[in-house]
Amino acid sequence: MSEARAATEKLEAELHGLGVTSAYEVGDGATISVWIGLVVHYRDGFYRWQEGPVKRRHLGTDPAGCAMRVARRYRELQADIPLWWDDLAKELRGAPVQDYP
């Protein structure tokens, strides 16, 4: 098992423990999709996440710390849907999408 896959599995388990059950690995062994437009990548020993056009980096290498920050941001984004979300959802799912995931 690669370092990236092991790191993403640990992060996914931590996210599930925090109630983010919609997170899943996208198939490259280094990326977890938390929500449309909110993804976490593991690279060079660090967790990095992107929310829409904004890229962020968790300063530690611990999956628990990253999971807490990402889970908090996930809840904030769902409570106050950002403007970029609708455009991204339409692009990924098609214009008829009306409901949030």
Side-chain angles (χ1 to χ4, degrees):
M1 178 181 304
S2 74
E3 176 188 3
R5 183 170 299 280
T8 55
E9 285 180 2
K10 289 177 186 175
L11 178 63
E12 188 175 2
E14 292 287 342
L15 285 167
H16 281 262
L18 293 170
V20 182
T21 58
S22 60
Y24 60 93
E25 197 268 321
V26 297
D28 66 359
T31 307
I32 292 178
S33 177
V34 180
W35 195 45
I36 289 179
L38 178 60
V39 295
V40 182
H41 307 278
Y42 181 82
R43 189 178 72 227
D44 302 328
F46 291 99
Y47 291 100
R48 298 162 170 35
W49 69 90
Q50 183 170 348
E51 45 183 86
V54 179
K55 294 182 180 182
R56 303 187 187 276
R57 185 179 96 174
H58 177 60
L59 298 177
T61 58
D62 62 312
C66 182
M68 285 191 302
R69 292 181 72 185
V70 171
R72 183 180 324 120
R73 190 62 186 138
Y74 168 74
R75 285 189 277 286
E76 291 171 356
L77 290 171
Q78 285 193 318
D80 186 20
I81 305 298
L83 297 175
W84 55 260
W85 193 93
D86 285 326
D87 293 334
L88 183 59
K90 286 177 185 174
E91 181 180 317
L92 294 174
R93 293 183 170 171
V97 172
Q98 297 297 318
D99 295 326
Y100 300 120

